[in-house]
Amino acid sequence: MAADNIHLSVDASKPGPKIDRNIFGQFAENLGHGLYEGIWVGPDSSIPNTRGIRNDVVAAFKELKVPNVRWPGGCFADQYHWRKGIGPTDRRPATVNSAWGDVIDTNAFGTDEFMDFIQQIGSTPYVSINLGSGTPQEAAEWLEYMTAAAPTALANERAANGHPEPYRVGFLGIGNESWDCGGAMTPDYYVSLMKVYSRFVLNMNPAQRDKDQMLKIAVGPGTPDTGWTEAVMQAWKKHTWAWDINGVSLHWYTVPNGWPPSTNSEKFGLEDYTKTLNSTLVMDEFLQKQEAVMDKYDPEKKVTLSVDEWGAWHAPLSGSNPAFLVQQNSIRDAILASLNLNIFARHADRVRMANIAQMINVLQAMILTDKEKFVLTPTYYVFKMYVPFQDATSVPVAFDVGTYTHGGVTLPRVDAIAAKSADGKLLLEITNLDPESPATIDVDVAGIAVKSVKAETLTAPTVDSINTFESPKAVLPKLEAVKVQGGKLSLTVEARSVTVISIEP
């Protein structure tokens, strides 16, 4: 039964850790129609594009201020050989994407196309190197091709391919899921390879020698077991000048019924809604377990915990290629995204990077396309609403959680985070998980004078409401009324909603 109201208190005078903008990162794997038809249509396409990259997609991602994009995978990364994706496109060899459906890959979208996309949207590349079927030499030469400023043979080859200036590579993933699709390795075997790749795969861009150094992300776990994290962190604790890592990755998808994913992404009811959100909240416990191990070896929290694959993984849409991981995206998924982003924000002292899976047409996508058609998903709008939280300083928020129960599953009724932005605004996010009842919220604000308030809410008529090509505006943010009296706020947040409040001092 819903309580009459919920009380929150925020204290802007008590700054906590910075909410690193990189937790709002994205992931673009060569999978299904994520790259081809999603980002890349080719320069000869009738779909408006710039050098083959869709203009509508670029414009949408610029609005999100995407901090980083992880590419080329995912499982695809450990079968990707970069040389096949450079040079004149008509000379690039066609290969088989055995990771995702055995489809033909023309290699038309390669390193220079990815970097062009990154520059068009104003982001930073997070490059995953091939640890599984590649070699240290191959990976080292790839980094030289991308980053060398001196006129080496590989730098000259990059220049001949149209980019004389070296690229900036912000992050380097040393393999992907090496415990499974990346080679079914043991932790100790992976650690021995990780050291070699860390030693010899070097960023040669002189602009990244000091404060803008490339950060190296080691493979971490995909289950709550801590053995893999233990092996990597134990090695890091003993590392020498010859090698180093700056982060450990973690992969955790919301799959409420276990593998293979079976929940519907459209035409579902309250049971699927509550089970899915209850499952996604496990992320907090997963992070705590890994952080406890990391704290043992790194109490100063120098090493980042990077959640570089996360999101809802539902059953493939009926009629789609199951290897393409096509699913719809509802208000339920938008709420799932807000809950995970809030969890990351509460772990901001250690979690400083995350990448939702994936950008376009795959899993919990920001955008869906079909030839020239294009639609923004509810999850896209959550990321847009959260843009002010990028690099904001977290501040404490206390609130009565309350409960919502359906079918034997009990959820917290609300969730919330607060932060202070660089321009001095106080930000408050409130998620109402209750799919049936609005919540009346009273907010006490300390440490800042309340001058003016703006609020934006994302909700929808039903838990399975989606945006479609035919009805692209079914789920859109709207302005929300907030009353201000004596430094206190009051508002009603709708059922199944995400609300972001900006308080001007």
Side-chain angles (χ1 to χ4, degrees), residues 270-271 274-275 278 404-411:
L270 291 181
E271 182 178 355
T274 51
K275 285 179 66 176
N278 189 53
Y404 168 80
T405 300
H406 178 86
V409 176
T410 297
L411 295 172

Side-chain angles (χ1 to χ4, degrees), residues 358-378:
Q358 296 186 13
M359 293 183 97
I360 306 179
N361 294 331
V362 175
L363 297 176
Q364 192 173 346
M366 306 290 116
I367 297 171
L368 302 176
T369 68
D370 179 12
K371 299 181 175 62
E372 74 286 346
K373 297 175 184 176
F374 164 97
V375 68
L376 303 174
T377 69

Side-chain angles (χ1 to χ4, degrees), residues 230-491:
E230 184 94 30
V232 172
M233 290 304 298
Q234 192 173 51
W236 174 84
K237 182 68 173 178
K238 300 176 182 177
H239 82 274
T240 68
W241 66 270
W243 72 276
D244 197 4
I245 57 169
N246 309 98
V248 178
S249 73
L250 177 156
H251 292 179
W252 186 250
Y253 288 94
T254 300
V255 190
N257 297 325
W259 298 91
S262 61
T263 47
N264 291 328
S265 62
E266 59 179 359
K267 298 178 181 176
F268 58 87
L270 291 181
E271 182 178 355
D272 268 356
Y273 174 89
T274 51
K275 285 179 66 176
T276 300
L277 295 189
N278 189 53
S279 176
T280 212
L281 293 171
V282 174
M283 178 67 83
D284 185 67
E285 179 185 345
F286 195 174
L287 294 177
Q288 289 181 42
K289 287 181 178 179
Q290 308 309 319
E291 288 171 344
V293 174
M294 296 179 78
D295 288 347
K296 182 168 66 173
Y297 297 101
D298 174 31
E300 296 178 344
K301 300 184 187 294
K302 296 178 180 178
V303 181
T304 291
L305 181 54
S306 171
V307 189
D308 58 18
E309 288 188 31
W310 67 274
W313 194 323
H314 301 303
L317 277 185
S318 176
S320 69
N321 183 334
F324 285 9
L325 307 186
V326 180
Q327 61 188 44
Q328 251 299 349
N329 194 296
S330 66
I331 188 66
R332 173 193 61 184
D333 300 309
I335 292 170
L336 182 150
S338 76
L339 293 175
N340 280 273
L341 292 172
N342 289 0
I343 290 169
F344 301 154
R346 286 192 283 270
H347 290 260
D349 58 347
R350 178 69 81 177
V351 177
R352 299 187 285 270
M353 188 172 186
N355 301 78
I356 190 170
Q358 296 186 13
M359 293 183 97
I360 306 179
N361 294 331
V362 175
L363 297 176
Q364 192 173 346
M366 306 290 116
I367 297 171
L368 302 176
T369 68
D370 179 12
K371 299 181 175 62
E372 74 286 346
K373 297 175 184 176
F374 164 97
V375 68
L376 303 174
T377 69
T379 298
Y380 173 91
Y381 289 113
V382 166
F383 271 72
K384 188 175 180 181
M385 291 167 68
Y386 272 72
V387 165
F389 283 95
Q390 294 189 13
D391 283 342
T393 301
S394 60
V395 297
V397 53
F399 56 98
D400 309 317
V401 173
T403 58
Y404 168 80
T405 300
H406 178 86
V409 176
T410 297
L411 295 172
R413 188 174 176 216
V414 296
D415 190 44
I417 59 168
K420 198 170 182 180
S421 63
D423 61 3
K425 292 177 183 175
L426 179 63
L427 307 170
L428 175 63
E429 191 285 327
I430 302 170
T431 301
N432 183 4
L433 288 74
D434 187 331
E436 299 183 274
S437 302
T440 302
I441 310 287
D442 298 317
V443 185
D444 281 328
V445 179
I448 189 173
V450 179
K451 182 179 178 182
S452 64
V453 180
K454 293 180 180 178
E456 192 175 34
T457 291
L458 184 73
T459 187
T462 61
V463 291
D464 61 349
S465 295
I466 58 176
N467 289 333
T468 65
F469 300 122
E470 296 73 29
S471 301
K473 298 182 179 181
V475 187
L476 285 180
K478 62 181 182 180
L479 295 178
E480 190 69 72
V482 181
K483 295 179 182 177
V484 181
Q485 188 172 10
K488 295 186 177 184
L489 315 179
S490 62
L491 72 157

Side-chain angles (χ1 to χ4, degrees), residues 139-140 143-144 146-149 166-172 198-209 212-216:
L143 264 290
E144 182 180 343
M146 289 187 281
T147 65
Y167 297 116
R168 288 174 181 253
V169 177
F171 307 93
L172 187 79
S198 175
R199 172 71 183 92
F200 294 110
V201 183
L202 306 175
N203 187 315
M204 298 183 178
N205 191 328
Q208 294 189 263
R209 295 280 165 79
D212 191 27
Q213 290 184 19
M214 179 180 74
L215 303 182
K216 298 178 180 181

